[in-house]
Amino acid sequence: MRVLLTGAAGFIGSHIRRTLENFGHEVIAVDLMLAAAHGPDAPTPAGIDRLDVRDPAALDSHLRGVDVVCHQAAVVGAGVSAQDAPAYASHNDFGTAVLLAAMDRAGCRRLVLASSMVVYGEGRYRTADAELFVPPPRAIDDLERGEFDHRDPGSGDPLEWLPVGENTPLRPRSLYAASKVAQEHYAAAWATATDSTVTALRYHNVYGPDMPRDTPYSGVAAIFRSALEAGAAPRVFEDGKQVRDFVHVHDIAAANLAAVETPLGGFVALNVASGQPITIGEVAQVLAAAHHGSAPVVTGQYRPGDVRHIVASPDRARLLLDFTAAITPEQGLAEFAVSPLRAVASAGAPTW
């Protein structure tokens, strides 16, 4: 198939490009080469056209004969400042809207969209009585006292976390998360209006070779890895017991290949995850041991707005795409501890 891949020079996009080409697909690779992802003055890699998805004319010329669009281009990260909001809205949401309109003009009816687990906000919880419970955001006073868990309002015990399924209500807790929810909503409305199909892949914590070095916008695995490379101990926030799902970038690429090759009807959201929960403290420990570096330091620090636990159910992706992650967090993180990182650190969110 002929695939338009946006964000093709990025960490995830570059892995997807290689996988699609290795399986015989013709890839039209484009990327804006934002400094936020590639560093200032980064050259455009060979075989990639520099393109802004907010440019309708440029999209029209690249969508001719395209069977499916694999849309990875986005400004990423939890949002370091409220001043990042225009960048998220411009690149992620307006850019997606322009792309969808261009796909309609080109008669391209299939989209694979890079979404994120951040659309859920907090994970799912239940009380000691097995009742589902939606906790409010954690209070600053509790965090200051080192009380990080959500509590059962009846017993006062920590709530039990549950895997998050795709039907879980979307409750974004960051500017980036709000932009990803908006992307999904635009794509779902477009699918209905044009009788098209959208597979929205909700990535969980992605890591792997060629990940950008330590920046305020990096994932925690890269931040830990960068600390170890600098001879420092990884600094773990809260008590290190926050539970997440870490999925290797090779599995992310495999999920995108499956989505490109498997048309699904209408708008379908799928978690892309390892299915093997791990705590942030364990992530730091695996990386430190494999890197032969300093043991992690649990700091008790926190970031207001961070969620406590968020773990995916991968069942729907297995059922609909026949996709199951092949790399366990323990195996993948141990390899990542000595894998190459991107040589050029990113420069923060764009101003617009």
Side-chain angles (χ1 to χ4, degrees), residues 88-322:
Y88 290 128
S90 178
H91 290 272
N92 299 0
D93 302 333
F94 179 65
T96 297
V98 174
L99 173 63
L100 294 171
M103 290 177 66
D104 181 51
R105 291 193 297 274
C108 180
R109 300 299 182 204
R110 290 192 56 215
L111 174 68
V112 176
L113 174 67
S115 188
S116 171
M117 58 90 174
V118 298
V119 298
Y120 299 118
E122 274 287 355
R124 294 177 68 225
Y125 297 88
R126 67 182 173 195
T127 67
D129 297 327
E131 296 289 334
L132 292 179
F133 184 78
V134 179
R138 294 178 294 175
I140 296 296
D141 287 347
D142 290 340
L143 296 174
E144 284 287 336
R145 288 193 297 269
E147 296 179 5
F148 302 117
D149 280 311
H150 293 290
R151 298 284 171 174
D152 183 321
S155 69
D157 295 330
L159 292 171
E160 179 187 1
W161 63 263
L162 299 170
V164 174
E166 289 84 353
N167 292 331
T168 300
L170 308 184
R171 297 185 177 93
R173 293 280 181 91
S174 70
L175 297 168
Y176 171 61
S179 76
K180 299 308 284 186
V181 171
Q183 276 188 305
E184 286 199 12
H185 286 171
Y186 274 112
W190 172 82
T192 299
T194 62
D195 193 25
S196 300
T197 68
V198 176
T199 302
L201 301 178
R202 292 174 178 167
Y203 303 157
H204 284 249
N205 293 266
V206 186
Y207 69 96
D210 202 33
M211 200 172 185
R213 293 182 183 275
D214 183 16
T215 81
Y217 298 84
S218 291
V220 67
I223 292 173
F224 289 163
R225 169 63 202 284
S226 295
L228 289 163
E229 196 168 78
R235 296 178 59 81
V236 179
F237 277 20
E238 301 188 14
D239 57 3
K241 296 179 181 178
Q242 313 93 298
V243 182
R244 298 289 189 272
D245 190 302
F246 279 74
V247 57
H248 197 280
V249 70
H250 290 170
D251 284 322
I252 293 289
N256 276 272
L257 173 68
V260 164
E261 294 184 341
T262 309
L264 301 174
F267 176 90
V268 179
L270 300 173
N271 288 324
V272 181
S274 73
Q276 301 190 42
I278 188 170
T279 68
I280 296 297
E282 289 169 336
V283 170
Q285 290 167 5
V286 171
L287 289 172
H291 198 274
H292 304 292
S294 301
V297 175
V298 178
T299 67
Q301 293 175 283
Y302 63 89
R303 293 189 305 182
D306 273 2
V307 301
R308 180 57 173 171
H309 305 300
I310 176 71
V311 174
S313 168
D315 293 345
R316 185 183 286 183
R318 181 168 55 248
L319 176 66
L320 297 183
L321 293 184
D322 194 25

